[in-house]
Amino acid sequence: MATRYELGIDATALDAIDMHVHLEVDSCGHGSLPEALTEASAKYFKSEDRTPSLDRIAEVYRELNMAAVVFTVDARTQLKHEPNSIPELIEGAARNNDVLIPFGSVDPRTGEDAIAGAKHQAVELGARGFKFHPSLQGFDPSNETFYPLWETLQELGLPCIFHTGQNGMGAGLPGGYGIKLAFSNPLLLDAVAADFPGLQIIMAHPSVPWQDEANSIATHKSNVFIDLSGWSPKYFPESLVKASNSVLQDKVLFGTDFPLITPQKWLGAFADLPLKDEVRPKILLDNAVRLLGLGG
């Protein structure tokens, strides 16, 4: 019988919560992506250790006095590649529940199986949210074909991270490995947020080339947030920095994209951003504590 995750994090003792950490390989050595995509993304991000184990990820964040949201992506239909074992990921997070928070993932293109999988991961395994990558999974989240899944996730009451903007996956490959950037336009999530106001949506990454759109959506919709992963803060669009310092200070979340970007590198660049002193702890910790329901 699969191990169920139970939260063991003391948020009051943390310095930060990283909302965006990938598990790229399982205990059997199975990669979360086809080899060509893994190699291309490693080259794009210039990452040093592309495939740390779940226990190693836990060690990294424990040493930094941080917690981390960990996930993989189920893109079996588009990539013709089986995902990592999500039950194993959740079991590993349960083993390290003082620092790790597992998010599940289902392939929306599998229809009823996706709905059943989401319920299983949330109710029986204890997933604390879900991760989607519309470009990698090859679907338009605003298409009403997928509305039964969003209805299910809204009923479960768990937040969902959606990749938005530019894509390191497939970068530099012919045709980008068939990955279509338009599926990651944040405007597609505006419709989802409007039609499912009880669904907490996290738009992952600075949404270049659609940053103004992302800023507008997060400002307009109380159920939409932005995580700051995937980019060094020194490259953040100016509009995102300004909004994070003002109207979006309660809506933006620390995230790295580890192992592609390390927390140390991200935080080093973050320290140089022109942010108010009272805004920094909101981004690093407080907003995530509220969103994830860790406040006790």
Side-chain angles (χ1 to χ4, degrees), residues 17-40:
I17 296 175
D18 187 337
M19 288 293 300
H20 201 109
V21 173
H22 289 266
L23 179 67
E24 300 289 357
V25 65
D26 64 20
S27 62
C28 297
H30 176 70
S32 64
L33 298 168
E35 187 174 351
L37 280 182
T38 299
E39 291 177 354

Side-chain angles (χ1 to χ4, degrees), residues 38-264:
T38 299
E39 291 177 354
S41 65
K43 182 178 179 181
Y44 179 84
F45 285 99
K46 300 180 175 63
S47 51
E48 297 174 5
D49 182 2
R50 188 70 175 80
T51 56
S53 69
L54 198 65
D55 289 326
R56 176 55 191 152
I57 291 171
E59 288 176 6
V60 167
Y61 284 89
R62 199 173 283 121
E63 290 167 3
L64 294 170
N65 198 40
M66 297 179 186
V69 170
V70 291
F71 47 70
T72 189
V73 177
D74 185 341
R76 67 185 70 198
T77 303
Q78 179 67 20
L79 298 182
K80 299 176 174 56
H81 179 88
E82 287 294 309
N84 286 349
S85 168
I86 293 170
E88 181 184 293
L89 184 154
I90 294 175
E91 182 176 358
R95 190 169 60 243
N96 295 282
N97 72 342
D98 59 315
V99 291
L100 298 184
I101 303 168
F103 272 32
S105 184
V106 294
D107 182 347
R109 291 168 65 181
T110 61
E112 290 295 328
D113 286 345
I115 293 172
K119 290 178 180 177
H120 173 69
Q121 291 174 29
V123 177
E124 275 131 47
L125 301 184
R128 302 283 297 194
F130 286 86
K131 170 67 193 302
F132 297 97
H133 194 312
S135 290
L136 197 66
Q137 294 172 309
F139 79 104
D140 174 352
S142 70
N143 188 311
E144 293 188 6
T145 300
F146 306 109
Y147 271 31
L149 177 57
W150 310 146
E151 179 67 35
T152 297
L153 295 175
Q154 179 174 251
E155 291 172 357
L156 289 169
L158 297 174
C160 296
I161 298 174
F162 288 84
H163 175 96
T164 65
Q166 179 60 284
N167 202 324
M169 299 300 159
L173 296 179
Y177 205 80
I179 293 169
K180 297 175 181 178
L181 299 181
F183 287 147
S184 291
N185 187 326
L187 278 175
L188 300 178
L189 295 173
D190 184 61
V192 179
D195 292 338
F196 299 94
L199 182 64
Q200 304 297 307
I201 293 172
I202 303 162
M203 298 186 294
H205 317 307
S207 298
V208 175
W210 304 290
Q211 191 59 57
D212 287 343
E213 288 89 333
N215 294 347
S216 179
I217 295 163
T219 300
H220 187 247
K221 304 285 192 300
S222 67
N223 55 321
V224 176
F225 301 78
I226 295 173
D227 89 33
L228 301 174
S229 66
W231 292 60
S232 169
K234 64 184 176 182
Y235 298 123
F236 285 176
E238 185 179 359
S239 67
L240 176 59
V241 176
K242 287 184 176 180
S244 298
N245 212 22
S246 55
V247 294
L248 293 182
Q249 62 181 278
D250 296 318
K251 307 293 290 295
V252 289
L253 306 153
F254 165 47
T256 59
D257 228 358
F258 185 81
L260 299 173
I261 298 174
T262 67
Q264 296 92 329

